[in-house]
Amino acid sequence: MLGLFDMIVLTVSLAISLAIIVPLTGAIVRFRANYNPKGLQLDPEGDVQPHTGPIISSFFAMLKRVYDIEGWSGLYKGLMPTLISSLIITAFLIVFLDDNSIRHRPYTAPSAGILGILFYSIFAMLLSLPQTVITDRAITTPHKLPWFNAAYSCRILLTPTERRRPWIIYLTPGLLAAQVAHISYVILILRSIRHLILPELAAQAGWRDVSLLRLSLFFVLALASTAVLTPLEVISIRLAIQRNHASAEYNSVSQEGGDTEGVTEYAGANEDATEYAGANEDVIGLRTDRAPYTGLIDCAKTIVEEEGWVALYRAWWLTMLGCVSGAFS
């Protein structure tokens, strides 16, 4: 059980972390979710229509665009679901763990053998998946969401089908496959490579006996892993914002119109039900085609066909930093 001082330090650390991480995460999610087809598209009547959505070429350009259009509130979209999730985890740490156990390690899990770590990571992912979906949708929706009205926000972010049957989120085509593939690669391949090449660091023996050659080899392999992990992260975001409807005909990733049925049900004829965060335009464009992604492979192929290979590697350098940091954690 933590003491009062430790609780204060933990709370302050959480506040500072959220203040920094939420805007950066929001920019990453929007950058990777932005729909930017490379050619002309066909409308539902079969007529050729040029794409008129925003073209954002970099993570930092996206960060600036969010601030320019939606201001500080736009930078902190997704704060509330992230905060709730963080508070639950923090409460668990305060009640059950001591201060020596409280530490954040990217791409790591409690030591229990490679299969134990894999199952632990998949289980943790399953628990957090609804929060991940809601957070990604809260970040990418053009609607203005209230800070303290979760019921209203859920009616914007979730379809009537998802609210009636919340477990359908787990059946979003390809989403679980993308998440499990990402975790499996990190645990079974990247982590195994680290144990094989850098056993001294894996055993926390320090840097003294680590050769520069083996360290360089690990960095090269970690960099190569970026080519596998970045597309999985992009695909996961695209699939997370793809909403589930009772009828496949209306299973579009578009949130531009929001959940009209749900909003009307909750807010009646209140004009605030259609209030947008941006005054004149949306920060990003979302794929409005009536044909949704049908799975992991279909999502990857469709992104390449419509937007090119580059779209699968947006913000690749952030994934690379995560891979390389595995040598130090």
mmCIF file of all heavy atoms in Angstrom, residues 133 137 157-162 165 168-175 238-256 258-259 286-295 298 302:
data_model
loop_
_atom_site.group_PDB
_atom_site.id
_atom_site.type_symbol
_atom_site.label_atom_id
_atom_site.label_comp_id
_atom_site.label_asym_id
_atom_site.label_seq_id
_atom_site.Cartn_x
_atom_site.Cartn_y
_atom_site.Cartn_z
ATOM 1 N N VAL A 133 -11.151 1.770 -28.623
ATOM 2 C CA VAL A 133 -12.084 2.114 -29.703
ATOM 3 C C VAL A 133 -12.756 3.456 -29.422
ATOM 4 O O VAL A 133 -12.818 4.337 -30.299
ATOM 5 C CB VAL A 133 -13.136 1.002 -29.880
ATOM 6 C CG1 VAL A 133 -14.270 1.468 -30.791
ATOM 7 C CG2 VAL A 133 -12.493 -0.257 -30.439
ATOM 8 N N ARG A 137 -12.227 6.971 -31.571
ATOM 9 C CA ARG A 137 -13.385 7.629 -32.187
ATOM 10 C C ARG A 137 -13.590 9.026 -31.620
ATOM 11 O O ARG A 137 -13.978 9.946 -32.346
ATOM 12 C CB ARG A 137 -14.635 6.778 -31.976
ATOM 13 C CG ARG A 137 -14.599 5.457 -32.728
ATOM 14 C CD ARG A 137 -15.893 4.699 -32.554
ATOM 15 N NE ARG A 137 -15.836 3.376 -33.155
ATOM 16 C CZ ARG A 137 -16.851 2.519 -33.194
ATOM 17 N NH1 ARG A 137 -18.013 2.860 -32.653
ATOM 18 N NH2 ARG A 137 -16.718 1.327 -33.754
ATOM 19 N N LEU A 157 -20.550 8.518 -30.516
ATOM 20 C CA LEU A 157 -19.438 7.663 -30.924
ATOM 21 C C LEU A 157 -19.852 6.231 -31.242
ATOM 22 O O LEU A 157 -19.161 5.554 -32.007
ATOM 23 C CB LEU A 157 -18.370 7.638 -29.821
ATOM 24 C CG LEU A 157 -17.776 8.998 -29.432
ATOM 25 C CD1 LEU A 157 -16.823 8.841 -28.270
ATOM 26 C CD2 LEU A 157 -17.076 9.644 -30.627
ATOM 27 N N LEU A 158 -20.937 5.760 -30.651
ATOM 28 C CA LEU A 158 -21.365 4.371 -30.836
ATOM 29 C C LEU A 158 -22.696 4.325 -31.567
ATOM 30 O O LEU A 158 -23.573 5.168 -31.337
ATOM 31 C CB LEU A 158 -21.497 3.664 -29.475
ATOM 32 C CG LEU A 158 -20.245 3.633 -28.599
ATOM 33 C CD1 LEU A 158 -20.583 3.029 -27.243
ATOM 34 C CD2 LEU A 158 -19.123 2.853 -29.277
ATOM 35 N N THR A 159 -22.842 3.346 -32.422
ATOM 36 C CA THR A 159 -24.113 3.170 -33.127
ATOM 37 C C THR A 159 -25.136 2.553 -32.181
ATOM 38 O O THR A 159 -24.777 1.981 -31.146
ATOM 39 C CB THR A 159 -23.935 2.243 -34.335
ATOM 40 O OG1 THR A 159 -23.608 0.921 -33.862
ATOM 41 C CG2 THR A 159 -22.826 2.730 -35.251
ATOM 42 N N PRO A 160 -26.436 2.645 -32.519
ATOM 43 C CA PRO A 160 -27.453 1.979 -31.690
ATOM 44 C C PRO A 160 -27.163 0.489 -31.522
ATOM 45 O O PRO A 160 -27.380 -0.072 -30.448
ATOM 46 C CB PRO A 160 -28.747 2.221 -32.473
ATOM 47 C CG PRO A 160 -28.496 3.487 -33.224
ATOM 48 C CD PRO A 160 -27.040 3.441 -33.597
ATOM 49 N N THR A 161 -26.655 -0.140 -32.570
ATOM 50 C CA THR A 161 -26.314 -1.571 -32.485
ATOM 51 C C THR A 161 -25.213 -1.810 -31.468
ATOM 52 O O THR A 161 -25.276 -2.742 -30.670
ATOM 53 C CB THR A 161 -25.857 -2.089 -33.862
ATOM 54 O OG1 THR A 161 -26.917 -1.913 -34.802
ATOM 55 C CG2 THR A 161 -25.477 -3.553 -33.792
ATOM 56 N N GLU A 162 -24.191 -0.965 -31.458
ATOM 57 C CA GLU A 162 -23.088 -1.125 -30.508
ATOM 58 C C GLU A 162 -23.520 -0.828 -29.083
ATOM 59 O O GLU A 162 -22.992 -1.420 -28.140
ATOM 60 C CB GLU A 162 -21.930 -0.212 -30.917
ATOM 61 C CG GLU A 162 -21.240 -0.648 -32.197
ATOM 62 C CD GLU A 162 -20.239 0.355 -32.710
ATOM 63 O OE1 GLU A 162 -20.414 1.568 -32.440
ATOM 64 O OE2 GLU A 162 -19.277 -0.050 -33.389
ATOM 65 N N ARG A 165 -25.617 -3.943 -28.103
ATOM 66 C CA ARG A 165 -24.787 -5.151 -28.008
ATOM 67 C C ARG A 165 -23.318 -4.737 -27.960
ATOM 68 O O ARG A 165 -22.616 -4.825 -28.965
ATOM 69 C CB ARG A 165 -25.055 -6.059 -29.203
ATOM 70 C CG ARG A 165 -26.473 -6.612 -29.262
ATOM 71 C CD ARG A 165 -26.637 -7.536 -30.465
ATOM 72 N NE ARG A 165 -26.599 -6.802 -31.724
ATOM 73 C CZ ARG A 165 -26.450 -7.390 -32.913
ATOM 74 N NH1 ARG A 165 -26.285 -8.707 -32.996
ATOM 75 N NH2 ARG A 165 -26.442 -6.663 -34.010
ATOM 76 N N ILE A 168 -20.244 -6.419 -29.686
ATOM 77 C CA ILE A 168 -20.038 -6.425 -31.138
ATOM 78 C C ILE A 168 -18.772 -5.662 -31.515
ATOM 79 O O ILE A 168 -18.221 -5.852 -32.602
ATOM 80 C CB ILE A 168 -21.270 -5.836 -31.864
ATOM 81 C CG1 ILE A 168 -21.309 -6.334 -33.319
ATOM 82 C CG2 ILE A 168 -21.248 -4.318 -31.843
ATOM 83 C CD1 ILE A 168 -22.577 -5.954 -34.057
ATOM 84 N N ILE A 169 -18.293 -4.792 -30.601
ATOM 85 C CA ILE A 169 -17.031 -4.084 -30.857
ATOM 86 C C ILE A 169 -15.898 -5.083 -31.055
ATOM 87 O O ILE A 169 -15.003 -4.876 -31.881
ATOM 88 C CB ILE A 169 -16.722 -3.122 -29.688
ATOM 89 C CG1 ILE A 169 -17.704 -1.950 -29.714
ATOM 90 C CG2 ILE A 169 -15.282 -2.614 -29.767
ATOM 91 C CD1 ILE A 169 -17.538 -0.998 -28.555
ATOM 92 N N TYR A 170 -15.946 -6.195 -30.303
ATOM 93 C CA TYR A 170 -14.913 -7.221 -30.440
ATOM 94 C C TYR A 170 -15.011 -7.954 -31.780
ATOM 95 O O TYR A 170 -14.069 -8.640 -32.176
ATOM 96 C CB TYR A 170 -15.022 -8.235 -29.299
ATOM 97 C CG TYR A 170 -14.575 -7.697 -27.970
ATOM 98 C CD1 TYR A 170 -15.493 -7.153 -27.075
ATOM 99 C CD2 TYR A 170 -13.234 -7.720 -27.609
ATOM 100 C CE1 TYR A 170 -15.079 -6.655 -25.847
ATOM 101 C CE2 TYR A 170 -12.814 -7.226 -26.385
ATOM 102 C CZ TYR A 170 -13.739 -6.684 -25.506
ATOM 103 O OH TYR A 170 -13.327 -6.185 -24.301
ATOM 104 N N LEU A 171 -16.155 -7.813 -32.454
ATOM 105 C CA LEU A 171 -16.359 -8.482 -33.737
ATOM 106 C C LEU A 171 -16.097 -7.549 -34.916
ATOM 107 O O LEU A 171 -16.338 -7.928 -36.068
ATOM 108 C CB LEU A 171 -17.795 -9.029 -33.819
ATOM 109 C CG LEU A 171 -18.198 -10.003 -32.699
ATOM 110 C CD1 LEU A 171 -19.647 -10.455 -32.897
ATOM 111 C CD2 LEU A 171 -17.259 -11.195 -32.643
ATOM 112 N N THR A 172 -15.616 -6.339 -34.629
ATOM 113 C CA THR A 172 -15.249 -5.428 -35.715
ATOM 114 C C THR A 172 -14.274 -6.139 -36.647
ATOM 115 O O THR A 172 -13.222 -6.609 -36.210
ATOM 116 C CB THR A 172 -14.586 -4.157 -35.156
ATOM 117 O OG1 THR A 172 -15.486 -3.516 -34.254
ATOM 118 C CG2 THR A 172 -14.219 -3.199 -36.284
ATOM 119 N N PRO A 173 -14.598 -6.251 -37.932
ATOM 120 C CA PRO A 173 -13.771 -7.057 -38.852
ATOM 121 C C PRO A 173 -12.294 -6.683 -38.811
ATOM 122 O O PRO A 173 -11.928 -5.536 -39.071
ATOM 123 C CB PRO A 173 -14.386 -6.741 -40.226
ATOM 124 C CG PRO A 173 -15.803 -6.380 -39.941
ATOM 125 C CD PRO A 173 -15.765 -5.647 -38.620
ATOM 126 N N GLY A 174 -11.469 -7.657 -38.469
ATOM 127 C CA GLY A 174 -10.021 -7.481 -38.534
ATOM 128 C C GLY A 174 -9.373 -6.810 -37.351
ATOM 129 O O GLY A 174 -8.146 -6.843 -37.218
ATOM 130 N N LEU A 175 -10.165 -6.191 -36.444
ATOM 131 C CA LEU A 175 -9.559 -5.414 -35.366
ATOM 132 C C LEU A 175 -8.793 -6.306 -34.393
ATOM 133 O O LEU A 175 -7.636 -6.015 -34.057
ATOM 134 C CB LEU A 175 -10.639 -4.621 -34.622
ATOM 135 C CG LEU A 175 -10.143 -3.735 -33.471
ATOM 136 C CD1 LEU A 175 -9.073 -2.760 -33.956
ATOM 137 C CD2 LEU A 175 -11.311 -2.982 -32.840
ATOM 138 N N ARG A 238 -7.612 2.447 -38.228
ATOM 139 C CA ARG A 238 -8.651 2.498 -39.259
ATOM 140 C C ARG A 238 -9.824 1.587 -38.903
ATOM 141 O O ARG A 238 -10.989 1.935 -39.114
ATOM 142 C CB ARG A 238 -8.063 2.083 -40.610
ATOM 143 C CG ARG A 238 -7.019 3.038 -41.181
ATOM 144 C CD ARG A 238 -7.635 4.397 -41.540
ATOM 145 N NE ARG A 238 -6.670 5.267 -42.176
ATOM 146 C CZ ARG A 238 -6.541 5.426 -43.492
ATOM 147 N NH1 ARG A 238 -7.312 4.750 -44.319
ATOM 148 N NH2 ARG A 238 -5.645 6.266 -43.981
ATOM 149 N N LEU A 239 -9.516 0.397 -38.381
ATOM 150 C CA LEU A 239 -10.575 -0.549 -38.045
ATOM 151 C C LEU A 239 -11.300 -0.139 -36.766
ATOM 152 O O LEU A 239 -12.504 -0.396 -36.622
ATOM 153 C CB LEU A 239 -9.991 -1.952 -37.898
ATOM 154 C CG LEU A 239 -9.416 -2.557 -39.188
ATOM 155 C CD1 LEU A 239 -8.759 -3.895 -38.899
ATOM 156 C CD2 LEU A 239 -10.495 -2.711 -40.250
ATOM 157 N N ALA A 240 -10.613 0.493 -35.826
ATOM 158 C CA ALA A 240 -11.243 0.913 -34.578
ATOM 159 C C ALA A 240 -12.306 1.972 -34.806
ATOM 160 O O ALA A 240 -13.324 2.006 -34.102
ATOM 161 C CB ALA A 240 -10.187 1.426 -33.600
ATOM 162 N N ILE A 241 -12.097 2.855 -35.786
ATOM 163 C CA ILE A 241 -13.081 3.910 -36.038
ATOM 164 C C ILE A 241 -14.165 3.455 -37.004
ATOM 165 O O ILE A 241 -15.085 4.219 -37.310
ATOM 166 C CB ILE A 241 -12.400 5.188 -36.569
ATOM 167 C CG1 ILE A 241 -11.757 4.955 -37.932
ATOM 168 C CG2 ILE A 241 -11.372 5.698 -35.573
ATOM 169 C CD1 ILE A 241 -11.197 6.227 -38.567
ATOM 170 N N GLN A 242 -14.064 2.225 -37.487
ATOM 171 C CA GLN A 242 -15.099 1.675 -38.371
ATOM 172 C C GLN A 242 -16.240 1.150 -37.503
ATOM 173 O O GLN A 242 -16.098 0.159 -36.813
ATOM 174 C CB GLN A 242 -14.530 0.549 -39.237
ATOM 175 C CG GLN A 242 -15.565 -0.123 -40.122
ATOM 176 C CD GLN A 242 -14.930 -0.987 -41.177
ATOM 177 O OE1 GLN A 242 -14.390 -0.469 -42.146
ATOM 178 N NE2 GLN A 242 -14.971 -2.296 -40.992
ATOM 179 N N ARG A 243 -17.367 1.824 -37.571
ATOM 180 C CA ARG A 243 -18.466 1.523 -36.662
ATOM 181 C C ARG A 243 -19.310 0.353 -37.161
ATOM 182 O O ARG A 243 -19.401 0.097 -38.355
ATOM 183 C CB ARG A 243 -19.320 2.773 -36.453
ATOM 184 C CG ARG A 243 -18.474 3.983 -36.052
ATOM 185 C CD ARG A 243 -19.287 5.106 -35.493
ATOM 186 N NE ARG A 243 -20.289 5.568 -36.431
ATOM 187 C CZ ARG A 243 -21.310 6.349 -36.078
ATOM 188 N NH1 ARG A 243 -21.440 6.709 -34.815
ATOM 189 N NH2 ARG A 243 -22.177 6.753 -36.965
ATOM 190 N N ASN A 244 -19.926 -0.345 -36.227
ATOM 191 C CA ASN A 244 -20.706 -1.536 -36.533
ATOM 192 C C ASN A 244 -22.195 -1.214 -36.519
ATOM 193 O O ASN A 244 -22.710 -0.651 -35.549
ATOM 194 C CB ASN A 244 -20.420 -2.633 -35.497
ATOM 195 C CG ASN A 244 -18.974 -3.074 -35.524
ATOM 196 O OD1 ASN A 244 -18.558 -3.870 -36.354
ATOM 197 N ND2 ASN A 244 -18.185 -2.535 -34.592
ATOM 198 N N HIS A 245 -22.880 -1.600 -37.581
ATOM 199 C CA HIS A 245 -24.315 -1.399 -37.705
ATOM 200 C C HIS A 245 -25.006 -2.740 -37.856
ATOM 201 O O HIS A 245 -24.394 -3.740 -38.221
ATOM 202 C CB HIS A 245 -24.641 -0.519 -38.911
ATOM 203 C CG HIS A 245 -24.073 0.868 -38.806
ATOM 204 N ND1 HIS A 245 -24.803 1.956 -38.388
ATOM 205 C CD2 HIS A 245 -22.833 1.337 -39.071
ATOM 206 C CE1 HIS A 245 -24.042 3.039 -38.402
ATOM 207 N NE2 HIS A 245 -22.842 2.696 -38.812
ATOM 208 N N ALA A 246 -26.301 -2.745 -37.587
ATOM 209 C CA ALA A 246 -27.075 -3.979 -37.734
ATOM 210 C C ALA A 246 -27.103 -4.428 -39.177
ATOM 211 O O ALA A 246 -27.091 -5.613 -39.486
ATOM 212 C CB ALA A 246 -28.489 -3.777 -37.208
ATOM 213 N N SER A 247 -27.122 -3.462 -40.100
ATOM 214 C CA SER A 247 -27.143 -3.775 -41.521
ATOM 215 C C SER A 247 -25.793 -3.469 -42.130
ATOM 216 O O SER A 247 -25.258 -2.374 -41.951
ATOM 217 C CB SER A 247 -28.224 -2.955 -42.247
ATOM 218 O OG SER A 247 -28.121 -3.132 -43.648
ATOM 219 N N ALA A 248 -25.229 -4.427 -42.822
ATOM 220 C CA ALA A 248 -23.907 -4.226 -43.447
ATOM 221 C C ALA A 248 -23.936 -3.095 -44.445
ATOM 222 O O ALA A 248 -22.925 -2.454 -44.727
ATOM 223 C CB ALA A 248 -23.461 -5.516 -44.128
ATOM 224 N N GLU A 249 -25.137 -2.792 -45.010
ATOM 225 C CA GLU A 249 -25.258 -1.741 -46.014
ATOM 226 C C GLU A 249 -24.845 -0.387 -45.449
ATOM 227 O O GLU A 249 -24.352 0.470 -46.159
ATOM 228 C CB GLU A 249 -26.714 -1.669 -46.489
ATOM 229 C CG GLU A 249 -26.969 -0.560 -47.509
ATOM 230 C CD GLU A 249 -28.430 -0.471 -47.898
ATOM 231 O OE1 GLU A 249 -29.215 -1.315 -47.430
ATOM 232 O OE2 GLU A 249 -28.766 0.436 -48.681
ATOM 233 N N TYR A 250 -25.054 -0.203 -44.132
ATOM 234 C CA TYR A 250 -24.741 1.085 -43.517
ATOM 235 C C TYR A 250 -23.495 1.027 -42.659
ATOM 236 O O TYR A 250 -23.253 1.897 -41.838
ATOM 237 C CB TYR A 250 -25.936 1.544 -42.672
ATOM 238 C CG TYR A 250 -27.168 1.780 -43.494
ATOM 239 C CD1 TYR A 250 -28.156 0.812 -43.547
ATOM 240 C CD2 TYR A 250 -27.318 2.936 -44.243
ATOM 241 C CE1 TYR A 250 -29.286 1.000 -44.319
ATOM 242 C CE2 TYR A 250 -28.446 3.136 -45.019
ATOM 243 C CZ TYR A 250 -29.432 2.162 -45.052
ATOM 244 O OH TYR A 250 -30.529 2.353 -45.832
ATOM 245 N N ASN A 251 -22.695 -0.010 -42.838
ATOM 246 C CA ASN A 251 -21.486 -0.155 -42.028
ATOM 247 C C ASN A 251 -20.352 0.648 -42.652
ATOM 248 O O ASN A 251 -19.433 0.114 -43.237
ATOM 249 C CB ASN A 251 -21.104 -1.631 -41.920
ATOM 250 C CG ASN A 251 -20.051 -1.836 -40.848
ATOM 251 O OD1 ASN A 251 -19.707 -0.914 -40.127
ATOM 252 N ND2 ASN A 251 -19.566 -3.053 -40.749
ATOM 253 N N SER A 252 -20.448 1.961 -42.507
ATOM 254 C CA SER A 252 -19.443 2.865 -43.065
ATOM 255 C C SER A 252 -18.535 3.361 -41.963
ATOM 256 O O SER A 252 -18.935 3.473 -40.818
ATOM 257 C CB SER A 252 -20.118 4.053 -43.751
ATOM 258 O OG SER A 252 -19.185 5.043 -44.082
ATOM 259 N N VAL A 253 -17.300 3.690 -42.303
ATOM 260 C CA VAL A 253 -16.384 4.237 -41.303
ATOM 261 C C VAL A 253 -16.674 5.705 -41.044
ATOM 262 O O VAL A 253 -16.113 6.294 -40.147
ATOM 263 C CB VAL A 253 -14.914 4.092 -41.745
ATOM 264 C CG1 VAL A 253 -14.566 2.652 -41.975
ATOM 265 C CG2 VAL A 253 -14.636 4.918 -42.990
ATOM 266 N N SER A 254 -17.529 6.316 -41.840
ATOM 267 C CA SER A 254 -17.775 7.740 -41.689
ATOM 268 C C SER A 254 -18.461 8.053 -40.375
ATOM 269 O O SER A 254 -19.411 7.415 -39.978
ATOM 270 C CB SER A 254 -18.648 8.252 -42.843
ATOM 271 O OG SER A 254 -19.008 9.591 -42.619
ATOM 272 N N GLN A 255 -17.959 9.096 -39.713
ATOM 273 C CA GLN A 255 -18.641 9.621 -38.541
ATOM 274 C C GLN A 255 -19.089 11.050 -38.816
ATOM 275 O O GLN A 255 -19.480 11.776 -37.915
ATOM 276 C CB GLN A 255 -17.717 9.604 -37.326
ATOM 277 C CG GLN A 255 -17.304 8.221 -36.889
ATOM 278 C CD GLN A 255 -16.517 8.269 -35.607
ATOM 279 O OE1 GLN A 255 -17.007 8.718 -34.597
ATOM 280 N NE2 GLN A 255 -15.293 7.806 -35.656
ATOM 281 N N GLU A 256 -19.040 11.463 -40.064
ATOM 282 C CA GLU A 256 -19.312 12.856 -40.375
ATOM 283 C C GLU A 256 -20.735 13.244 -40.016
ATOM 284 O O GLU A 256 -21.017 14.364 -39.641
ATOM 285 C CB GLU A 256 -19.051 13.133 -41.864
ATOM 286 C CG GLU A 256 -17.568 13.042 -42.187
ATOM 287 C CD GLU A 256 -17.280 13.269 -43.646
ATOM 288 O OE1 GLU A 256 -18.238 13.475 -44.395
ATOM 289 O OE2 GLU A 256 -16.106 13.234 -44.027
ATOM 290 N N GLY A 258 -22.373 11.622 -37.696
ATOM 291 C CA GLY A 258 -22.621 11.178 -36.337
ATOM 292 C C GLY A 258 -23.648 10.074 -36.312
ATOM 293 O O GLY A 258 -24.026 9.503 -37.322
ATOM 294 N N ASP A 259 -24.162 9.769 -35.144
ATOM 295 C CA ASP A 259 -25.214 8.786 -34.969
ATOM 296 C C ASP A 259 -26.512 9.542 -34.817
ATOM 297 O O ASP A 259 -26.967 9.854 -33.741
ATOM 298 C CB ASP A 259 -24.915 7.924 -33.734
ATOM 299 C CG ASP A 259 -25.982 6.875 -33.500
ATOM 300 O OD1 ASP A 259 -26.891 6.785 -34.322
ATOM 301 O OD2 ASP A 259 -25.885 6.166 -32.486
ATOM 302 N N LEU A 286 -12.570 11.396 -43.319
ATOM 303 C CA LEU A 286 -12.780 9.995 -42.988
ATOM 304 C C LEU A 286 -13.382 9.279 -44.192
ATOM 305 O O LEU A 286 -14.167 9.855 -44.945
ATOM 306 C CB LEU A 286 -13.698 9.852 -41.776
ATOM 307 C CG LEU A 286 -13.140 10.407 -40.466
ATOM 308 C CD1 LEU A 286 -14.195 10.354 -39.372
ATOM 309 C CD2 LEU A 286 -11.906 9.634 -40.040
ATOM 310 N N ARG A 287 -13.011 8.047 -44.355
ATOM 311 C CA ARG A 287 -13.464 7.267 -45.508
ATOM 312 C C ARG A 287 -14.978 7.059 -45.434
ATOM 313 O O ARG A 287 -15.490 6.449 -44.512
ATOM 314 C CB ARG A 287 -12.736 5.921 -45.516
ATOM 315 C CG ARG A 287 -12.981 5.066 -46.748
ATOM 316 C CD ARG A 287 -12.022 3.883 -46.732
ATOM 317 N NE ARG A 287 -12.219 3.005 -47.877
ATOM 318 C CZ ARG A 287 -13.007 1.941 -47.869
ATOM 319 N NH1 ARG A 287 -13.680 1.629 -46.764
ATOM 320 N NH2 ARG A 287 -13.125 1.184 -48.946
ATOM 321 N N THR A 288 -15.700 7.580 -46.436
ATOM 322 C CA THR A 288 -17.155 7.530 -46.422
ATOM 323 C C THR A 288 -17.720 6.507 -47.393
ATOM 324 O O THR A 288 -18.919 6.447 -47.594
ATOM 325 C CB THR A 288 -17.735 8.912 -46.773
ATOM 326 O OG1 THR A 288 -17.258 9.312 -48.070
ATOM 327 C CG2 THR A 288 -17.305 9.946 -45.753
ATOM 328 N N ASP A 289 -16.858 5.724 -48.027
ATOM 329 C CA ASP A 289 -17.329 4.715 -48.967
ATOM 330 C C ASP A 289 -18.272 3.749 -48.259
ATOM 331 O O ASP A 289 -18.019 3.338 -47.122
ATOM 332 C CB ASP A 289 -16.132 3.944 -49.541
ATOM 333 C CG ASP A 289 -16.488 3.133 -50.774
ATOM 334 O OD1 ASP A 289 -17.697 2.936 -51.015
ATOM 335 O OD2 ASP A 289 -15.569 2.711 -51.474
ATOM 336 N N ARG A 290 -19.345 3.337 -48.919
ATOM 337 C CA ARG A 290 -20.317 2.419 -48.328
ATOM 338 C C ARG A 290 -19.768 1.008 -48.180
ATOM 339 O O ARG A 290 -20.374 0.179 -47.512
ATOM 340 C CB ARG A 290 -21.584 2.375 -49.185
ATOM 341 C CG ARG A 290 -22.425 3.628 -49.078
ATOM 342 C CD ARG A 290 -23.151 3.678 -47.758
ATOM 343 N NE ARG A 290 -23.959 4.873 -47.622
ATOM 344 C CZ ARG A 290 -24.883 5.042 -46.696
ATOM 345 N NH1 ARG A 290 -25.101 4.093 -45.811
ATOM 346 N NH2 ARG A 290 -25.565 6.163 -46.624
ATOM 347 N N ALA A 291 -18.648 0.715 -48.817
ATOM 348 C CA ALA A 291 -18.041 -0.615 -48.690
ATOM 349 C C ALA A 291 -16.979 -0.562 -47.600
ATOM 350 O O ALA A 291 -15.899 -0.016 -47.801
ATOM 351 C CB ALA A 291 -17.423 -1.046 -50.016
ATOM 352 N N PRO A 292 -17.242 -1.108 -46.408
ATOM 353 C CA PRO A 292 -16.283 -1.032 -45.302
ATOM 354 C C PRO A 292 -15.136 -2.009 -45.482
ATOM 355 O O PRO A 292 -15.180 -2.919 -46.312
ATOM 356 C CB PRO A 292 -17.139 -1.412 -44.087
ATOM 357 C CG PRO A 292 -18.145 -2.359 -44.660
ATOM 358 C CD PRO A 292 -18.469 -1.845 -46.028
ATOM 359 N N TYR A 293 -14.093 -1.829 -44.690
ATOM 360 C CA TYR A 293 -13.027 -2.824 -44.630
ATOM 361 C C TYR A 293 -13.621 -4.108 -44.068
ATOM 362 O O TYR A 293 -14.334 -4.102 -43.067
ATOM 363 C CB TYR A 293 -11.894 -2.351 -43.714
ATOM 364 C CG TYR A 293 -11.263 -1.035 -44.108
ATOM 365 C CD1 TYR A 293 -11.212 0.028 -43.204
ATOM 366 C CD2 TYR A 293 -10.701 -0.845 -45.366
ATOM 367 C CE1 TYR A 293 -10.616 1.232 -43.536
ATOM 368 C CE2 TYR A 293 -10.113 0.359 -45.711
ATOM 369 C CZ TYR A 293 -10.075 1.399 -44.799
ATOM 370 O OH TYR A 293 -9.490 2.590 -45.136
ATOM 371 N N THR A 294 -13.307 -5.230 -44.694
ATOM 372 C CA THR A 294 -13.898 -6.504 -44.267
ATOM 373 C C THR A 294 -12.943 -7.353 -43.437
ATOM 374 O O THR A 294 -13.309 -8.451 -43.024
ATOM 375 C CB THR A 294 -14.362 -7.308 -45.491
ATOM 376 O OG1 THR A 294 -13.233 -7.558 -46.345
ATOM 377 C CG2 THR A 294 -15.428 -6.554 -46.265
ATOM 378 N N GLY A 295 -11.744 -6.856 -43.193
ATOM 379 C CA GLY A 295 -10.796 -7.614 -42.393
ATOM 380 C C GLY A 295 -9.420 -6.987 -42.448
ATOM 381 O O GLY A 295 -9.206 -5.949 -43.096
ATOM 382 N N ASP A 298 -7.944 -7.177 -46.102
ATOM 383 C CA ASP A 298 -8.701 -6.282 -46.979
ATOM 384 C C ASP A 298 -8.392 -4.825 -46.655
ATOM 385 O O ASP A 298 -8.278 -3.994 -47.576
ATOM 386 C CB ASP A 298 -10.194 -6.540 -46.817
ATOM 387 C CG ASP A 298 -11.034 -5.570 -47.636
ATOM 388 O OD1 ASP A 298 -11.050 -5.715 -48.870
ATOM 389 O OD2 ASP A 298 -11.656 -4.663 -47.038
ATOM 390 N N THR A 302 -6.843 -2.339 -49.390
ATOM 391 C CA THR A 302 -7.640 -1.178 -49.773
ATOM 392 C C THR A 302 -6.878 0.119 -49.542
ATOM 393 O O THR A 302 -6.930 1.042 -50.365
ATOM 394 C CB THR A 302 -8.962 -1.157 -48.981
ATOM 395 O OG1 THR A 302 -9.674 -2.372 -49.202
ATOM 396 C CG2 THR A 302 -9.842 0.006 -49.420
#
